[in-house]
């Protein structure tokens, strides 16, 4: 039987974690559970209809044309994730390395690279939409100015370039974030370790590959998982730059836009379907949860091996 | 002394308040028409001349979120007494869960003289009940800049051939002939609604509704073929031109024509008072053919089924169906009121009302925006692709038909 002292200790612990538990339950667990419950009903606008088991999931995943749209949006999320890993995070790693070497004015670069990160996505989206405007945008005016008229495309209106343009804007916005994390990781490496390595080899590339890269592995894990979650929850930037429909004709559609359109309707075209929307939300959430957890475990193991 | 005065004043105010509570009904009226607030308050003042005891508070919400705000309030058993609702599929979203009070024609006798299509727009298909007093219709037309037309020696075209010739003349002179782009999805449906009904004809719409034709019908596909002919006359990089840019190109005189709805009239005048413009219906395929414009009803005024002031709300609806109300709505807001006998002082509005004599429905909104995937979603996406040169009109017809066929049995 626990002593009185022990009991009062337990009571204190319960008392102290209670606020956090209440907040977690009411703002995280209950919404997730209710989204799951909503997805099992037929909805009439916002009025709940009959319990229909997994019919909403069946519709979203297997019925034409919704299955095509789901796959299309999912594919774009995957592309966005891979492209951001390469464009945003590799650039971030290289920038971090350059700043780490402390060239002349590195303090300025450190601030300059991070500056766009603090801008709101709304502002960044709007700015790049203006820059890429086919008639008034500076990008095309520049291309025309230097005689590259053939390259002056309607970037956001062309299905071949629209998604790329969005990824580029996103990378411009957030490249400072992986840079900062890698930089912090590199600065944590003991100096003498790097200097010892430099004595052994004259190849800077080998130092980078065999010493720095393995020692910033925890940074890579964090960046990988955050990029993954960010890429699959991508909404603001495509919403501002491409609109709710993922214009042109779905070439920039991602799961976030598709979910919003389905659940809340699109004033100029769609119908509200809360059940299908919730089903989509549950699918997106489960996918992110499982994939992010698996990867985190895998990458943590890799950190130790490296 | 001061304290005594204060007490007396408090009691007196209290007494006044309670007296008002006892006699006057206080109603709320929700709408998405933020820019029309002043006009509606004037209309409510007119109503109070007849019924001084009923106060109505007019509250507005951001249009994109209005439907969500409204549905949420109604689902929670709250919401306003009088509701500005939209029409067709959007009306059914609110009406089918039983949030709106059905209106019998006998309760508002003026409704019997309303155009039949306006009544259909506010009627739920399943139970055949009317749920709102229709308030305005919109018509899709082609706007043109009269100064630019005069400067380049062209006049408003009547046939499709003339329309293309006028566009070529303008283009050769360095003017953008048509301001519209295709980057904003719904603008594609507007282009279809403006140009193609004259080509597919009134019978096609009747056939589709009766289930005797699909969108793969040669009449529809052929009409879309005509629409692709305008791509030469849209701005450079039109696939990247969105709706606000198109409006600005027309407003600043860089483009000579603009395909759009009658709701733009008031907006254009407000944004550039010096712009001289006029409107025309879509060009006729051949001289003498009917020039059909697409029309649809915008919405109406409904009563909350849970309102505690049912009688007062209904009497406001009765007022909203009267000629006085319709006339004032037309003159203050430039809305095409469906109330019979309303006249339009504005020459452009009166033109719109004339065009409405040879009207077709804005086909997807009126008939196929009730279920997922809506005809509008399908049409907007596929036409956007067609205008970019990545789909043929036949593919558009096929994809739209297959999408609608998932719930519309005559297409299966």
């Amino acid at each position: 039987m626990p002593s009185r002292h022990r009991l009062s200790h337990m009571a204190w612990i319960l008392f102290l974690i209670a606020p956090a538990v209440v907040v977690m339950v009411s703002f995280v667990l209950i919404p997730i559970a209710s989204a799951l419950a909503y997805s099992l009903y037929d909805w009439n606008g916002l009025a709940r209809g009959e319990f229909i088991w997994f019919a909403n999931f069946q519709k979203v995943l297997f019925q034409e044309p919704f299955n095509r749209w789901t796959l299309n949006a999912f594919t774009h999320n995957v592309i966005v994730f891979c492209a951001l890993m390469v464009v945003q995070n590799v650039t971030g790693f290289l920038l971090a390395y350059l700043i780490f070497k402390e060239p002349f004015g590195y303090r300025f670069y450190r601030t300059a690279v991070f500056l766009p990160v603090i801008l709101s996505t709304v502002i960044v989206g709007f700015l790049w939409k203006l820059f890429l405007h086919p008639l008034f945008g500076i990008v095309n005016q520049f291309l025309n100015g230097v005689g590259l008229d053939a390259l002056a495309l309607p970037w956001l209106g062309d299905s071949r370039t629209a998604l790329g343009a969005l990824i580029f804007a996103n990378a411009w916005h957030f490249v400072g974030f992986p840079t900062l994390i890698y930089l912090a990781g590199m600065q944590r490496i003991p100096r003498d370790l790097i200097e010892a390595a430099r004595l052994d080899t004259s190849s800077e590339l080998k130092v980078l590959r065999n010493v720095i890269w393995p020692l910033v592995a925890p940074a890579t894990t964090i960046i990988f998982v955050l990029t993954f979650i960010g890429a699959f929850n991508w909404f603001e930037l495509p919403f501002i730059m491409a609109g709710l429909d993922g214009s042109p004709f779905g070439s920039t559609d991602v799961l976030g836009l598709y979910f919003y359109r389905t659940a809340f309707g699109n004033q100029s075209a769609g119908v509200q379907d809360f059940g299908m929307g919730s089903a989509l939300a549950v699918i997106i959430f489960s996918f992110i949860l499982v994939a992010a957890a698996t990867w985190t475990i895998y990458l943590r193991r890799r950190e130790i091996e490296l | 002394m001061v304290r005594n005065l204060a007490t007396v004043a408090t009691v007196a105010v209290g007494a006044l308040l309670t007296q008002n509570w006892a006699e006057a009904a206080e109603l709320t009226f929700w709408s998405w028409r933020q820019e029309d607030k002043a006009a509606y308050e004037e209309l409510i003042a007119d109503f109070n001349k007849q019924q001084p005891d009923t106060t109505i508070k007019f509250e507005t919400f951001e249009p994109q979120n209005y439907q969500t705000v409204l549905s949420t309030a109604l689902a929670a058993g709250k919401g306003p007494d009088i509701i500005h609702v939209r029409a067709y599929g959007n009306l059914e979203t609110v009406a089918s869960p039983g949030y709106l009070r059905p209106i019998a024609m006998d309760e508002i006798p003026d409704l019997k003289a309303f155009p039949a299509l306006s009544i259909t727009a506010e009627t739920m298909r399943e139970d055949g009940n009317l749920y709102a007093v229709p308030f305005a219709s919109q018509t899709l037309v082609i706007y043109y800049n009269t100064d630019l037309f005069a400067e380049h020696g062209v006049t408003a075209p009547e046939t499709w051939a003339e329309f293309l010739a006028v566009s070529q003349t303008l283009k050769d002179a360095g003017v953008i002939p048509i301001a519209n782009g295709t980057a904003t999805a719904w603008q594609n449906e507007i282009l279809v609604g403006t140009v193609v009904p004259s080509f597919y004809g009134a019978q096609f719409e009747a056939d589709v509704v009766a289930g005797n034709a699909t969108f793969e019908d040669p009449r529809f596909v052929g009409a879309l073929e005509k629409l692709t002919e305008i791509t030469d006359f849209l701005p450079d990089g039109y696939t990247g031109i969105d709706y606000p840019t198109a409006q600005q190109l027309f407003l600043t005189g860089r483009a000579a024509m603009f395909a759009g709805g009658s709701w733009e009239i008031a907006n254009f005048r407000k944004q550039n008072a010096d712009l001289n413009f006029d409107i025309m219906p879509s060009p006729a395929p051949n001289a003498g053919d009917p020039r059909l414009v697409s029309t649809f009803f915008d919405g109406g005024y409904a009563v909350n089924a849970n309102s505690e002031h049912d009688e007062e709300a209904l009497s406001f609806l009765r007022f909203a169906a009267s000629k006085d109300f319709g006339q004032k709505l037309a003159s203050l807001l430039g809305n095409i009121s469906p109330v019979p006998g309303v006249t339009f002082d504005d020459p452009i509005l009166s033109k719109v009302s004339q065009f409405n004599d040879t009207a077709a429905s804005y086909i997807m909104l009126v008939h196929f925006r009730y279920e997922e995937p809506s005809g509008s979603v399908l049409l907007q996406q596929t036409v956007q692709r067609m205008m970019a040169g990545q789909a043929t009109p036949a593919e558009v017809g096929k994809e739209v038909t297959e999408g609608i066929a998932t719930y519309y049995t005559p297409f299966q």
Side-chain angles (χ1 to χ4, degrees), chain B residues 94-382:
Chain B
V94 190
S96 64
Y99 298 141
L100 304 183
R101 172 200 196 285
I103 298 165
M105 284 288 201
D106 294 334
E107 293 177 299
I108 306 178
D110 279 344
L111 284 175
K112 287 176 187 157
F114 271 52
L117 285 175
S118 73
I119 298 295
T120 316
E122 302 300 335
T123 302
M124 193 158 82
R125 296 164 309 162
E126 203 178 308
D127 64 6
N129 281 332
L130 176 73
Y131 285 95
V133 172
F135 89 103
S137 67
Q138 301 290 356
T139 304
L140 300 186
V141 296
I142 298 173
Y143 291 79
Y144 63 98
N145 183 319
T146 48
D147 290 343
L148 280 176
F149 267 45
E151 193 186 322
H152 297 286
V154 291
T155 52
E158 289 187 0
T159 63
W160 187 248
E162 284 170 26
F163 176 73
L164 295 178
V166 164
S167 301
Q168 190 61 53
T169 310
L170 291 163
K171 191 179 178 183
D172 292 344
V175 177
I176 300 170
I178 304 161
N180 301 69
T182 62
T184 306
W186 61 269
Q187 282 281 291
N188 294 280
E189 194 179 356
I190 295 280
L191 284 173
V192 171
T194 312
V195 172
V196 312
S198 296
F199 284 98
Y200 62 59
Q203 189 55 44
F204 170 72
E205 186 189 329
D207 288 350
V208 163
V209 175
N212 298 329
T214 69
F215 289 99
E216 292 185 81
D217 191 287
R219 285 171 288 181
F220 188 74
V221 173
L224 287 180
E225 195 84 55
K226 290 289 168 187
L227 180 63
T228 59
E229 293 174 8
I230 70 167
T231 51
D232 282 346
F233 304 115
L234 301 178
D236 283 342
Y238 62 89
T239 55
I241 301 285
D242 59 1
Y243 172 56
T245 307
Q247 286 178 310
Q248 289 311 315
L249 288 176
F250 184 72
L251 278 167
T252 53
R254 283 187 63 178
M257 291 184 272
F258 176 86
S262 44
W263 62 88
E264 309 276 7
I265 299 171
N267 177 37
F268 282 170
R269 291 224 167 99
K270 197 157 63 180
Q271 290 208 41
N272 183 359
D274 299 331
L275 183 77
N276 294 314
F277 65 90
D278 204 345
I279 57 167
M280 57 179 161
S282 72
N286 298 299
D289 289 348
R291 303 170 71 177
L292 297 179
V293 290
S294 289
T295 57
F296 60 92
F297 287 87
D298 225 6
Y301 310 107
V303 175
N304 189 336
N306 289 326
S307 171
E308 288 167 14
H309 304 289
D310 189 69
E311 192 38 52
E312 289 89 347
L314 198 66
S315 67
F316 180 78
L317 259 56
R318 231 169 261 135
F319 172 66
S322 68
K323 200 182 155 198
D324 288 347
F325 183 94
Q327 188 61 57
K328 201 152 195 179
L329 196 77
S331 16
L332 286 179
L333 298 173
N335 282 329
I336 301 289
S337 166
V339 180
V342 168
T343 54
F344 302 97
D345 302 331
D346 183 317
I348 293 191
L349 273 189
S350 93
K351 261 194 178 173
V352 173
S353 129
Q354 276 172 30
F355 295 169
N356 285 350
D357 294 340
T358 44
S361 297
Y362 190 39
I363 194 160
M364 291 305 182
L365 170 60
V366 173
H367 302 296
F368 298 104
R369 219 189 265 183
Y370 293 89
E371 271 164 272
E372 289 275 14
S374 81
S376 294
V377 168
L378 296 161
L379 188 73
Q380 290 178 9
Q381 275 194 12
T382 49

Side-chain angles (χ1 to χ4, degrees), chain A residues 44-47 64-66 68-69 129 133-136 154 157 159 245 247-249 267-269 271-272, chain B residues 71-72 86 90 93 96-97 99 183 185-186 239-240 242 245 254 369 372-374 380-381 384-385 390 406:
Chain A
N44 211 336
L46 281 181
E64 275 280 331
F66 307 110
R68 196 153 35 85
W69 293 345
K129 195 176 171 185
H133 194 285
L135 296 179
F136 317 121
S159 58
D245 311 280
S247 260
F249 40 91
Q267 201 51 64
S268 58
V271 187
Q272 292 183 339
Chain B
S71 327
T72 319
R86 300 193 204 245
N90 264 327
T93 316
S96 64
Y99 298 141
W186 61 269
T239 55
D242 59 1
T245 307
R254 283 187 63 178
R369 219 189 265 183
E372 289 275 14
S374 81
Q380 290 178 9
Q381 275 194 12
Q384 199 175 32
R385 202 174 329 136
Q390 295 183 31
T406 55

Side-chain angles (χ1 to χ4, degrees), chain B residues 2-70:
Chain B
V2 174
R3 187 185 290 170
N4 278 345
L5 265 181
T7 319
V8 170
T10 317
V11 170
V13 169
L16 270 174
L17 279 178
T18 32
Q19 198 181 359
N20 266 342
W21 272 113
E23 278 186 6
E26 197 168 317
L27 276 68
T28 47
F29 176 4
W30 282 10
S31 170
W32 71 89
R33 301 295 308 169
Q34 292 170 316
E35 57 274 50
D36 298 349
K37 194 165 181 170
Y40 272 100
E41 276 164 359
E42 204 178 318
L43 286 163
I44 290 168
D46 286 356
F47 172 68
N48 282 338
K49 283 179 199 151
Q50 301 173 7
Q51 290 219 12
D53 291 342
T54 310
T55 49
I56 298 176
K57 222 171 120 203
F58 186 74
E59 293 171 359
T60 57
F61 298 87
E62 204 268 316
Q64 279 288 331
N65 294 326
Y66 179 68
Q67 192 84 8
T68 313
V69 173
L70 179 67

